[in-house]
Amino acid sequence: MSLHRNLKSSIAALALLGAGLGFAAPANADAVVDIQAAGKLNVGVFADFPPFSSASSDMSLKGYDMDVAQAIADALKVELVPVAVTGQNRIPYLNDRRVDLLMSVGYSDERAEVIDYAAAYAPYYIAVIGPAAADVTEPADLAGKSIAVNKGTLEDTSLTEAAPEGTDIKRFDNYNSVIQAFISGQTDLMVVGNDVGASVLAKQDEMKPEQKFQLLSSPSHIALNKGEEALKTAINDTIAKMIEDGSLNASSQTWLKVDLNPENLKD
């Protein structure tokens, strides 16, 4: 059986697991008590979101999000159970207590009305990426440079706002085209999110691409249900410990291919 078919089967199985985790718990339940009584922490993750979470060669989910989720499960002394979610169903899964928490959730006032947020744990930002030899450190340096960007995205909007007159912005229909234009030399630079950029930083040894500067930062949080203060404390304590002992930076180096900058964890 091909890896692609195995991957589809794995994701489907995770989705079925998410659908059958049970009914909503009573409103006055303590999540930590329930989690430890069950012996497992059900964590909602995107099943195909590298480098934060995606299926590895053995079909288990690996990535930055999975490292952090495992650390939280270890702190609670329970088994980690990843549950595949989508952008559309993950908030209902959390509110219905099909999962105990969600990874990779950006903060918004609208979401804050129905869910709670633990501390930011993952940097998410839009960055200008270029060869190590390119002298680019700020928006003014983009003048006279050609830059690839995915048309109509937040990256496009951010670049258009920051770019000075004389910048040659080349817009493409998808990220693969953006990356290809950059690595083939069609453009001097590219603008992508750090999730997309991580794959380029990892694979282009000859070019030695690097992040030049950020255009926009919006860190990811772990989401949980409102009123679960004990669980929120456990999550925040775990993140603080990972920052202090260097394990979060090690995960960033492994998956995001850059050192973790604590400034990138600020909204």
Side-chain angles (χ1 to χ4, degrees):
M1 183 178 290
S2 69
L3 177 60
H4 179 67
R5 290 180 63 189
N6 281 335
L7 175 56
K8 290 177 67 177
S9 298
S10 177
I11 292 173
L14 281 168
L16 287 172
L17 174 61
L21 283 174
F23 300 100
N28 63 350
D30 184 302
V32 170
V33 172
D34 291 345
I35 290 165
Q36 292 180 329
K40 60 183 180 180
L41 177 69
N42 298 313
V43 178
V45 295
F46 294 123
D48 187 18
F49 185 43
F52 293 95
S53 55
S54 60
S56 62
S57 58
D58 66 1
M59 303 316 301
S60 64
L61 291 179
K62 303 290 186 184
Y64 186 95
D65 277 4
M66 301 310 300
D67 287 354
V68 175
Q70 185 64 63
I72 296 169
D74 291 345
L76 294 172
K77 296 181 172 56
V78 296
E79 175 190 0
L80 172 63
V81 179
V83 179
V85 296
T86 68
Q88 291 71 42
N89 70 21
R90 62 180 182 161
I91 300 299
Y93 267 38
L94 179 64
N95 290 158
D96 290 345
R97 300 183 186 270
R98 295 183 178 186
V99 297
D100 301 304
L101 53 87
L102 298 171
M103 308 300 293
S104 287
V105 182
Y107 180 86
S108 76
D109 291 338
E110 181 181 11
R111 287 175 177 166
E113 294 180 2
V114 294
I115 61 174
D116 198 3
Y117 289 89
Y121 74 100
Y124 185 81
Y125 51 84
I126 293 169
V128 174
I129 292 179
D135 185 15
V136 175
T137 60
E138 60 181 352
D141 296 330
L142 300 179
K145 302 288 195 305
S146 59
I147 309 175
V149 69
N150 194 353
K151 180 171 57 182
T153 61
L154 187 58
E155 292 96 319
D156 188 358
T157 303
S158 300
L159 174 61
T160 301
E161 290 178 353
E165 186 176 352
T167 304
D168 182 13
I169 301 176
K170 295 186 180 298
R171 296 175 173 87
F172 297 86
D173 292 329
N174 54 64
Y175 289 112
N176 285 337
S177 297
V178 170
I179 294 170
Q180 185 58 37
F182 171 61
I183 65 176
S184 67
Q186 295 178 52
T187 63
D188 302 313
L189 307 163
M190 71 174 182
V191 170
V192 294
N194 63 318
D195 54 340
V196 176
S199 64
V200 179
L201 299 181
K203 297 176 181 177
Q204 300 300 318
D205 292 335
E206 185 174 341
M207 179 186 287
K208 299 187 184 304
E210 63 184 15
Q211 294 176 4
K212 296 301 185 179
F213 64 90
Q214 294 179 24
L215 290 172
L216 177 72
S217 179
S218 180
S220 293
H221 294 255
I222 296 171
L224 67 161
N225 281 308
K226 288 182 174 295
E228 298 294 357
E229 294 304 317
L231 180 57
K232 185 174 182 177
T233 297
I235 295 169
N236 288 346
D237 287 350
T238 300
I239 301 304
K241 182 176 183 296
M242 292 184 76
I243 293 173
E244 182 179 357
D245 66 17
S247 57
L248 197 60
N249 184 54
S251 185
S252 180
Q253 291 172 334
T254 297
W255 300 107
L256 308 182
K257 306 305 177 185
V258 293
D259 283 325
L260 181 70
N261 181 351
E263 290 298 311
N264 290 331
L265 298 182
K266 296 179 180 179
D267 286 300

